[in-house]
Amino acid sequence: MPSQTKRTPPKHSQDSINTESLNEKLNKAAELEATLDKMKTKKGSETEAKAAAVRLELCSLLSDVVIVDPIFAVANNVVERLWKFCFYGRINELRVRINKEKSRAKKRAAGGSTSVSSKASDIVGDIEKQLQQFLKEAVALYSYLIKKYKEHLNDALEGSSQDDEEYCETTISSLYRMHIHLGDLYRYSSSIQKAEETYGKAAKLAPTTGNPFNQLAVVAQSQESQTVQALYYYSRSLMAQTPFETSRPNLVRLFESNSKWLAENDRGVSHNHTLVGVNKKAQKDWANKQKVAMTRIVMAKLVDLQFALFKGISLDDGDDKVDLNRLMDMMEKQLEGLDELLSSTGVSENLLCKILAVLAFSTLGAGNSGKLCSEEDLLSLDSGLNRGVVMNNQAIAFSFLLRFVSVLAKHTKILIEEKQAGGGKVKVGTIRPLSSLLLGVNFAASLYAGSKWFHGLPIYPINSTSQIDSSPIHLLCKESHYKFWESVADVANCFRGLDLVWMDGPTPPVCNDLKDFSDFGCFVPFESFLPRSTDGKYATLNEAIEALASNSSSTSKADEDEAITKIRLYLAVAINSTRSVDKEGLGPCYLVEDAISNNLKVLREDALQSTDEVMLLDNADNAFDGLDETEPTSQYSNLGVQLLTPAALLAKNAANEPPKKIDSAPNLLPDLVIAKGPKATHNLLPPPGLPPPPGFSGPPAHVNQQAPSEDTPTQSANVNSSLLSLLNQPQQQMPMNQDFGGFQAPSSNQVMPQAPNVFNTLNPFAISQRPTTEHQTGGIDLSFMLNNNWNKNNVIVNNEPSASADDPYSHGESLLKFLFESNSSDD
């Protein structure tokens, strides 16, 4: 046969002879698979020898099909059959035998039979040798198959044919499964580093799938010191575009084992002790051990905090959730620990970025077992979700993320100032928290801009407007909000003061250009600012070849250039969140540029009120051109919020009558109804028995969550004066008509703050003045609360009758009880 300069990749052949040959091999393979199934019930050395011969023949048949025709192999599930019958079954069998013999050896040793125990140990050793030899042979076969498939992809790339998309996608899908199986083989062999590398390649070959991240989490979880790494990978698995639900019970086990470790090891040991009377080397070794111990404790506590956010705020003293006071205390101590960690140890950028991803996971899955919840899910009656609970849990989790980003910003600013004090040009490539800071700022900005997965935004200051609510949750969110944007402004001012040669290209940079963010593709919390160019499940041909290639090291020049790109992206976020004092802002803005110093600063309530009054007077003649000033405006800004013009407000106030109703306004009070039924239970662990291998996807684990019983009373979260003192705020009585779920209803002389998209039909001035009978029987009525004043005993004033005993609003419960408990009628 003549030699060829370029190999032709095999394709799904239409030749009847070739197809017939492949079908014959599959028919023979099916007979061998049935033979292996029958041999499972038989024991003995002779049976094992026969089974080994059958597996060898079956492996040869299936491997031939895989290599000859990838499309035919995928159509007949050959790759999975090869793993299940030829390898996983035998591996599982040997591992079970090893565990049984070890158990027998322990029992015999406990009974004092030394000779029998020694013999049992020899048996265990022989079986382990068999297993290791079998794993070695399996690794060799899978390495060979992967090598052949990589050659197919390279040939396809050289051919540059556009009609081979099916072939390329099929080949990549098989390569993905092979890497999962090869990673399992390395893991069974205790080759941890090779297992991580192989699973990592699988994740790049199928970036939308959560399964590879579950495998990486399993490897990390096997190493006690990598709990944060394991939590990160479980977060990626559960919030991938195609989640891997088996990760949820695995994550619960991680949380529980971490809590147990903390209970046994967290003794509050100070890490500032030094040794006296020893040499410098011993002191240095002691200091390093102290830093390692400190890092381990701080990371374990961080995981424990995410467990609390995962479960949510307690509604009942008997449930398994965390008390609000304890949660606030945990967050405060955790921030102190992370601040100290950043000051005293060299935490890598990679770890900081992973922590940001974990916090993003906790923010969007807070109080909902780490599950994403869209607006449609939240409003669906079938979901069983409590709107108020989801909103407040997400708001609390987001507050911690904002404060952590503020800590990163603080250390970034300190590092820049130290480098400037040293003289010379600052090399921004050496600024350690820059990538994690940019990642956190982008994620926070994406939630402020509106996300269908985040529902806690109404509890935050919207467009920096004032909110009267003095509940501890709102105060926490408010302080976190201002601290975050203040830190964003401070770092932006530092960046603008650097003497940098800006690389202004023809197009502005995007986050996808950064190599530090290349591993975060298809992570749902980051998809708004790290979008994927393609919608396919698997990587493209070029992406696959790049993923399978060895990683190349970057130069210092590239690091410096990329750091400048990060600074440009950071400043873009800051500028997009800045309003100018000389013109009307066109959207939610949280920073303002000082007219004298040109520095950015946070836009607080007092500054907003003064500038808004000037702007309202200066622009009164032209802001509403073409409109009847006694009628409401049609739309205001890009958020679609209907408002009244100043003239319309004055006209209505002068007439002393309620504003004209434009559209039917939705009830903005979070639906706090807790579905009726038996008390909620959480059965997250799989049933007993041997689970399938992590590389062989079993059925998804289901979370059995039932609503609390109708007869089970609920209790409000306990918020006392110690919690308020923690926030350095005096306790105030909240008038019931001024807050509903953290979203403030404005008075008649205030401009309505811009609301998130979930409230895009809001017109608070068009709500009817008095409740109707229909409203009274359907739960708490928003219009009734907004248009009546309540005193501290919830008695209506302003010449309105006091609440009767039958009035559903006459109870004097706390604000948090109002937020979290059921308040609907039987209807």
Side-chain angles (χ1 to χ4, degrees):
M1 186 173 181
S3 60
Q4 296 179 348
T5 58
K6 186 180 70 173
R7 294 183 302 270
T8 302
K11 301 179 182 179
H12 181 53
S13 175
Q14 300 298 323
D15 183 80
S16 59
I17 298 178
N18 186 53
T19 302
E20 182 178 352
S21 174
L22 293 175
N23 282 325
E24 287 179 358
K25 290 185 177 183
L26 285 185
N27 291 335
K28 179 60 176 178
E31 295 176 2
L32 296 175
E33 290 167 355
T35 302
L36 282 176
D37 282 334
K38 293 178 181 178
M39 288 183 175
K40 290 180 180 178
T41 58
K42 300 179 182 180
K43 297 181 180 179
S45 58
E46 184 178 351
T47 301
E48 281 196 19
K50 291 181 179 180
V54 171
R55 275 194 299 271
L56 182 59
E57 184 179 359
L58 177 61
C59 182
S60 177
L61 289 171
L62 296 179
S63 298
D64 285 346
V65 175
V66 169
I67 294 174
V68 170
D69 198 329
I71 295 180
F72 185 86
V74 168
N76 291 275
N77 202 28
V78 177
V79 173
E80 292 300 323
R81 290 165 64 180
L82 176 66
W83 168 254
K84 178 181 177 182
F85 288 99
C86 298
F87 297 102
Y88 173 67
R90 179 59 174 167
I91 293 170
N92 184 55
E93 175 189 337
L94 292 174
R95 296 177 76 188
V96 169
R97 287 177 57 188
I98 290 172
N99 290 333
K100 286 183 178 180
E101 292 298 334
K102 285 182 177 179
S103 178
R104 289 175 184 173
K106 288 182 179 179
K107 291 180 180 179
R108 290 165 182 169
S113 179
T114 306
S115 60
V116 176
S117 175
S118 177
K119 184 178 180 180
S121 298
D122 292 340
I123 294 175
V124 171
D126 290 339
I127 300 175
E128 287 180 340
K129 288 180 180 179
Q130 293 181 42
L131 176 59
Q132 292 303 318
Q133 180 62 29
F134 186 77
L135 291 173
K136 183 179 179 180
E137 294 171 355
V139 167
L141 174 64
Y142 273 92
S143 298
Y144 174 76
L145 294 176
I146 289 174
K147 177 184 176 182
K148 299 300 291 184
Y149 268 49
K150 288 170 64 175
E151 291 176 356
H152 296 342
L153 289 184
N154 288 326
D155 292 340
L157 182 64
E158 292 175 5
S160 303
S161 176
Q162 299 300 319
D163 57 357
D164 292 339
E165 291 184 6
E166 181 186 5
Y167 169 76
C168 290
E169 182 176 353
T170 303
T171 303
I172 293 170
S173 69
S174 295
L175 270 170
Y176 157 69
R177 293 308 310 173
M178 292 176 190
H179 277 82
I180 291 289
H181 298 153
L182 180 59
D184 289 343
L185 294 172
Y186 282 132
R187 181 163 55 86
Y188 297 148
S189 306
S190 299
S191 302
I192 301 302
Q193 183 176 355
K194 290 184 177 179
E196 289 178 339
E197 292 175 357
T198 308
Y199 288 143
K201 290 180 179 179
K204 292 181 179 179
L205 291 171
T208 66
T209 305
N211 191 356
F213 294 106
N214 179 78
Q215 309 309 102
L216 286 164
V218 171
V219 173
Q221 192 171 350
S222 65
Q223 305 171 72
E224 190 178 73
S225 62
Q226 294 194 14
T227 52
V228 171
Q229 296 272 9
L231 175 54
Y232 162 73
Y233 289 126
Y234 282 134
S235 301
R236 293 296 307 271
S237 176
L238 290 171
M239 287 193 179
Q241 292 179 357
T242 305
F244 189 69
E245 282 299 322
T246 305
S247 294
R248 206 172 305 279
N250 292 345
L251 176 56
V252 172
R253 281 190 286 268
L254 172 70
F255 281 142
E256 292 174 344
S257 62
N258 179 76
S259 297
K260 182 180 179 181
W261 185 91
L262 266 178
E264 296 171 352
N265 295 274
D266 182 19
R267 298 179 177 86
V269 179
S270 174
H271 303 289
N272 297 321
H273 293 167
T274 57
L275 296 178
V276 180
V278 296
N279 57 41
K280 293 183 178 181
K281 183 179 184 303
Q283 290 182 0
K284 184 177 180 180
D285 292 342
W286 172 256
N288 290 335
K289 290 181 179 179
Q290 292 287 79
K291 289 180 180 181
V292 171
M294 173 189 176
T295 303
R296 178 74 175 93
I297 291 292
V298 172
M299 293 296 103
K301 289 184 175 180
L302 178 64
V303 173
D304 200 45
L305 173 61
Q306 307 318 303
F307 191 19
L309 297 173
F310 182 87
K311 294 184 291 186
I313 300 173
S314 175
L315 300 180
D316 191 331
D317 290 340
D319 62 24
D320 190 37
K321 299 183 179 182
V322 65
D323 177 75
L324 181 60
N325 283 314
R326 179 170 172 267
L327 179 61
M328 303 278 270
D329 185 59
M330 289 174 68
M331 291 194 298
E332 198 69 32
K333 291 180 178 178
Q334 184 63 53
L335 286 168
E336 294 174 359
L338 290 170
D339 190 11
E340 183 180 355
L341 192 66
L342 286 168
S343 301
S344 59
T345 64
V347 184
S348 68
E349 271 282 53
N350 182 265
L351 178 58
L352 290 175
C353 288
K354 289 180 177 179
I355 290 175
L356 257 302
V358 166
L359 299 185
F361 164 80
S362 296
T363 296
L364 299 185
N368 194 31
S369 299
K371 298 176 185 176
L372 288 169
C373 171
S374 66
E375 292 179 9
E376 293 77 11
D377 295 333
L378 194 62
L379 299 176
S380 172
L381 298 177
D382 298 331
S383 66
L385 294 172
N386 187 310
R387 226 186 312 178
V389 171
V390 172
M391 288 174 63
N392 284 276
N393 275 284
Q394 287 191 343
I396 292 172
F398 187 44
S399 74
F400 182 81
L401 184 144
L402 293 179
R403 294 166 75 190
F404 175 65
V405 176
S406 300
V407 171
L408 295 177
K410 166 190 166 184
H411 286 275
T412 302
K413 181 181 178 183
I414 291 174
L415 186 59
I416 293 175
E417 291 175 346
E418 289 177 350
K419 291 180 179 298
Q420 286 178 321
K425 183 178 179 180
V426 176
K427 293 184 178 180
V428 293
T430 61
I431 300 177
R432 185 185 61 198
L434 187 54
S435 293
S436 53
L437 175 61
L438 177 62
L439 189 65
V441 167
N442 269 284
F443 175 70
S446 71
L447 296 195
Y448 274 106
S451 167
K452 71 174 183 178
W453 308 115
F454 183 64
H455 314 290
L457 191 59
I459 303 179
Y460 283 79
I462 300 174
N463 205 21
S464 296
T465 54
S466 172
Q467 294 194 30
I468 305 175
D469 181 8
S470 60
S471 69
I473 294 179
H474 170 74
L475 291 176
L476 172 67
C477 296
K478 182 178 178 181
E479 290 305 312
S480 301
H481 166 89
Y482 286 124
K483 181 66 176 176
F484 169 77
W485 286 108
E486 182 178 39
S487 66
V488 170
D490 288 344
V491 175
N493 293 331
C494 285
F495 285 153
R496 294 167 80 178
L498 293 176
D499 182 19
L500 296 175
V501 178
W502 299 101
M503 298 181 301
D504 294 325
T507 58
V510 293
C511 290
N512 298 65
D513 297 334
L514 302 175
K515 66 176 184 292
D516 287 353
F517 294 167
S518 61
D519 290 337
F520 292 105
C522 302
F523 184 43
V524 172
F526 296 161
E527 63 184 1
S528 64
F529 58 92
L530 290 173
R532 188 162 176 248
S533 58
T534 59
D535 297 328
K537 177 180 179 181
Y538 298 103
T540 63
L541 177 59
N542 289 327
E543 290 172 342
I545 292 177
E546 182 180 355
L548 296 173
S550 58
N551 297 326
S552 57
S553 58
S554 59
T555 63
S556 58
K557 179 64 168 59
D559 290 339
E560 189 74 9
D561 291 347
E562 182 153 310
I564 293 178
T565 301
K566 295 172 188 175
I567 292 176
R568 292 179 61 195
L569 288 165
Y570 182 95
L571 291 176
V573 175
I575 296 301
N576 289 338
S577 303
T578 303
R579 72 177 296 177
S580 176
V581 296
D582 59 352
K583 64 179 180 179
E584 184 176 358
L586 299 179
C589 299
Y590 307 100
L591 302 176
V592 64
E593 187 170 14
D594 186 86
I596 299 176
S597 65
N598 293 328
N599 283 337
L600 300 178
K601 62 181 181 180
V602 66
L603 187 59
R604 291 188 175 270
E605 297 164 349
D606 52 354
L608 178 73
Q609 292 170 0
S610 62
T611 56
D612 274 352
E613 289 174 1
V614 174
M615 287 165 50
L616 186 62
L617 294 174
D618 291 344
N619 300 325
D621 294 334
N622 56 18
F624 302 99
D625 287 344
L627 298 176
D628 182 355
E629 293 191 357
T630 61
E631 291 297 326
T633 64
S634 57
Q635 296 286 317
Y636 184 79
S637 85
N638 61 343
L639 295 178
V641 180
Q642 292 182 329
L643 299 177
L644 294 180
T645 64
L649 287 174
L650 294 174
K652 296 302 180 183
N653 291 335
N656 194 23
E657 62 185 52
K660 180 179 179 181
K661 187 170 182 178
I662 312 291
D663 290 317
S664 176
N667 191 333
L668 299 186
L669 181 67
D671 185 3
L672 309 182
V673 178
I674 299 179
K676 300 174 182 178
K679 188 174 178 65
T681 58
H682 302 275
N683 183 19
L684 295 179
L685 297 179
L690 184 67
F696 187 71
S697 306
H702 297 285
V703 181
N704 181 18
Q705 294 180 335
Q706 296 178 336
S709 170
E710 180 178 354
D711 299 328
T712 304
T714 57
Q715 298 181 9
S716 63
N718 181 22
V719 182
N720 54 31
S721 58
S722 65
L723 177 59
L724 296 176
S725 63
L726 177 66
L727 298 172
N728 297 321
Q729 294 288 345
Q731 186 172 4
Q732 301 177 8
Q733 181 65 32
M734 175 61 203
M736 291 291 289
N737 68 317
Q738 292 175 336
D739 176 84
F740 41 101
F743 195 92
Q744 179 202 352
S747 60
S748 59
N749 59 353
Q750 289 179 327
V751 177
M752 178 63 192
Q754 293 176 338
N757 293 336
V758 69
F759 303 132
N760 60 2
T761 58
L762 170 64
N763 182 0
F765 303 99
I767 299 175
S768 58
Q769 179 111 7
R770 296 176 183 275
T772 63
T773 304
E774 179 182 358
H775 289 158
Q776 289 175 335
T777 60
I780 294 181
D781 178 58
L782 177 62
S783 61
F784 180 63
M785 295 176 64
L786 290 178
N787 294 283
N788 293 283
N789 293 324
W790 292 60
N791 62 17
K792 64 182 179 179
N793 295 319
N794 293 347
V795 178
I796 304 174
V797 294
N798 290 348
N799 299 323
E800 294 290 342
S802 60
S804 64
D806 298 331
D807 192 339
Y809 315 112
S810 61
H811 58 80
E813 301 294 335
S814 69
L815 176 61
L816 281 182
K817 187 176 184 68
F818 167 74
L819 282 175
F820 285 108
E821 290 200 356
S822 173
N823 50 45
S824 70
S825 65
D826 291 338
D827 295 335

